[in-house]
Amino acid sequence: MVEEETKNMNGAATSKYKSILLAVLAMPLLGVLYDALNGFHILKHSKSAYGVVFGLFLTAVYAVIGESISNWVNLKDDVSQPLHKRALNLSLLLLLLTVVAFSYWFIFNRFELI
């Protein structure tokens, strides 16, 4: 009985580690995709190989953050709401995405990645 529980716990831990490893490997690939859509700005102008990897990883993280914010605000938006409420949701979306874009720009300039 105890051995079966241990096997189940080890299987769950292994599954967690596989998911984390897959996410860590997929993030730079997602960063390359976003960098390709922007004309390979990071790959062309990065000052080191570590800067390329960190920049691509950071690009992917900020892309995921921006998409999640966009989806969150989109879920709050309802066509049946009055115009002022919908305008407030749009303003909230623009404000949050501006904060994300500014922090992305700030980190890239602060750490001189490009």
Side-chain angles (χ1 to χ4, degrees), residues 34 61-78 86 88-101:
Y34 273 90
V61 167
Y62 273 96
V64 169
I65 290 171
E67 287 293 327
S68 64
I69 288 173
S70 176
N71 288 336
W72 177 68
V73 172
N74 193 24
L75 289 174
K76 293 182 84 169
D77 190 28
D78 188 13
R86 293 193 73 201
L88 180 66
N89 285 336
L90 178 62
S91 300
L92 178 68
L93 172 67
L94 292 174
L95 177 71
L96 289 175
L97 292 180
T98 302
V99 168
V100 168

Side-chain angles (χ1 to χ4, degrees), residues 47 54 58 62 101-114:
K47 297 178 181 178
F54 184 69
L58 191 65
Y62 273 96
F102 177 76
S103 63
Y104 178 75
W105 171 82
F106 180 77
I107 287 175
F108 265 81
N109 285 331
R110 174 73 173 104
F111 293 109
E112 298 177 356
L113 293 174
I114 52 175

